[in-house]
Amino acid sequence: MAILVAGGAGYIGSHTVQELIDAGKEVVIVDSLEYGHQGAVLAKKFYKGNIGDKEFLKKVFRENDIEAVMHFCAYIEVGESVTNPRKYYNNNIVAGIALLDTMLEANVKRFVFSSTAAVYGQPEKVPISEDTPTLAVNPYGETKLSFEKILKWYGEAYGMTSSVLRYFNACGAHPNGHIGEDHSPESHLVPLILQVPLGKRASIKIFGDDYPTRDGSCVRDYIHVSDLALAHVLAVDRLIAGKPSITCNLGNGVGFSVKEIINTAREVTGHKIPADIVARRAGDPAELIAESDRARRELGWKPKYHDVKTIIATAWEWHRKHPSGYGDR
Ligand code: UFG
């Protein structure tokens, strides 16, 4: 029996496929390659297509013996979600429901969902537990939160069990050097910083240094992508073992400021990496740090990469060897 990984050619999807293969699982990838990369397709079985296309999806379910689905196909740009919300509702909700409904028609009822710390909006205190009230403050977060609720009701009505994994800040690259982070456009802090030593940008912008944090810049919980990936393997095994639905935060539980991340990247790369303080970016909470005891307790998850320097070093290794990413954009 196989695990269907929708969005398996993307950043977190491809790292999860690697962990699934390492765990001896059979994997079927579905990806439209709109944002994913052919070079990140690690499974032998790959179907190019969109999860919103039910006829296409039905064929995938007909041709394979699928026991569970992982869903990594969402659009992720917060800013774009504000200016073009229909793009986000159509993909993250409408296409996602087509995936769920096709699963039900094929009698596949185990689902692992990529959610996000964005469902907490601007939380009043950190660390953030899963019981913190959710309040999305942009359409991206709203689509993720809505989908979580859809999963809850699909569970009650149709017996679908799900693992909702709320990621904090994914970064780094697989230590084998074959897969890494390549978004276009790129908006994430670590790859943007590394574009400076790669000679692709003159400096990095720090979005605000007047936040109520230790050095005034925003604090985030940076988690290595392979650790995130491992949590998916544990989460799917838990569902296959017949356990009930669960929602888990995934983070290291330690916060680093933007300035600290830039300083660490300077150490790792040996490059000066000039930085300019600019205005705050709209919608950025000052501090997001996960409490992820539930994932450790219920999934048996133990992140391997605690040290942010090691995390950035894995990213640097990949970007140095692949300065144009997968080279397909
Ligand atoms: N930042 C800069 N300069 C940059 C880019 C980012 O200072 O050029 C700062 C941001 O203001 C933020 C921090 O670096 O404080 C991290 O920013 P990212 O864009 O890398 O990550 P976010 O915390 O904004 O986003 C992450 C996920 C999103 C998710 C969001 C909220 O990548 O998918 O958390 O949970 F929506």
Side-chain angles (χ1 to χ4, degrees):
M1 296 201 88
I3 312 289
L4 175 65
V5 183
Y11 175 46
I12 303 173
S14 61
H15 283 78
T16 300
V17 169
Q18 178 71 66
E19 296 301 321
L20 286 167
I21 292 172
D22 290 350
K25 309 267 188 202
E26 200 184 316
V27 177
V28 176
I29 295 177
V30 164
D31 200 298
S32 67
L33 299 185
E34 183 187 359
Y35 290 96
H37 307 276
Q38 182 70 51
V41 173
L42 300 178
K44 286 192 204 89
K45 273 225 155 149
F46 168 53
Y47 291 83
K48 183 172 180 290
N50 195 296
I51 57 160
D53 177 350
K54 278 191 82 177
E55 290 313 309
F56 160 73
L57 268 187
K58 277 186 194 167
K59 176 173 147 54
V60 177
F61 279 91
R62 251 194 332 267
E63 291 181 0
N64 298 280
D65 195 4
I66 306 292
E67 62 179 331
V69 173
M70 296 184 176
H71 174 29
F72 297 93
C73 297
Y75 293 149
I76 59 164
E77 287 295 321
V78 172
E80 184 189 50
S81 80
V82 177
T83 55
N84 194 4
R86 60 192 280 211
K87 174 173 173 178
Y88 281 71
Y89 281 96
N90 275 306
N91 184 67
N92 295 6
I93 303 281
V94 178
I97 290 175
L99 174 59
L100 293 182
D101 289 352
T102 313
M103 284 175 65
L104 289 179
E105 284 160 30
N107 202 28
V108 178
K109 296 191 174 182
R110 301 179 190 105
F111 192 78
V112 180
F113 179 56
S114 302
S115 193
T116 167
V119 299
Y120 299 114
Q122 308 257 1
E124 275 172 18
K125 67 176 184 59
V126 294
I128 304 163
S129 78
E130 292 85 355
D131 303 323
T132 301
T134 49
L135 175 74
V137 291
N138 54 61
Y140 165 71
E142 198 78 71
T143 59
K144 289 285 182 178
L145 191 52
S146 301
F147 209 79
E148 289 193 4
K149 291 178 181 164
I150 290 166
L151 289 175
K152 171 183 177 299
W153 294 113
Y154 270 50
E156 297 207 2
Y158 311 123
M160 183 175 276
T161 54
S162 55
S163 296
V164 169
L165 303 178
R166 293 177 176 161
Y167 312 153
F168 282 65
N169 287 64
C171 56
H174 196 284
N176 74 10
H178 299 321
I179 46 174
E181 185 168 14
D182 179 6
H183 295 113
S184 58
E186 189 53 79
S187 66
H188 295 92
L189 180 65
V190 171
L192 285 174
I193 294 173
L194 296 177
Q195 285 181 2
V196 181
L198 286 174
K200 296 185 154 193
R201 115 186 356 254
S203 63
I204 181 76
K205 293 189 172 100
I206 297 174
F207 295 145
D209 75 342
D210 55 354
Y211 285 94
T213 59
R214 52 186 172 264
D215 63 19
S217 64
C218 287
V219 169
R220 294 287 180 275
D221 184 336
Y222 293 88
I223 179 84
H224 194 278
V225 63
S226 294
D227 280 331
L228 283 186
L230 194 59
H232 291 74
V233 181
L234 297 166
V236 82
D237 277 344
R238 184 179 174 280
L239 294 179
I240 291 168
K243 300 263 175 64
S245 297
I246 194 169
T247 298
C248 294
N249 285 340
L250 297 178
N252 263 316
V254 185
F256 291 93
S257 72
V258 173
K259 289 181 184 173
E260 287 164 348
I261 294 292
I262 296 170
N263 276 333
T264 308
R266 287 176 177 140
E267 271 181 59
V268 167
T269 62
H271 189 283
K272 283 198 200 77
I273 311 185
D276 306 314
I277 311 286
V278 300
R280 289 182 176 196
R281 187 173 67 177
D284 269 340
E287 201 168 9
L288 291 174
I289 300 172
E291 184 195 290
S292 50
D293 300 10
R294 188 185 287 171
R296 288 162 207 263
R297 194 176 59 243
E298 300 293 332
L299 305 181
W301 183 57
K302 285 195 202 88
K304 288 187 230 158
Y305 299 89
H306 301 285
D307 176 19
V308 80
K309 192 169 171 187
T310 312
I311 297 179
I312 293 176
T314 63
W316 177 232
E317 194 55 21
W318 193 77
H319 287 289
R320 225 165 37 87
K321 291 198 183 128
H322 306 85
S324 307
Y326 290 98
D328 55 0
R329 295 279 189 276

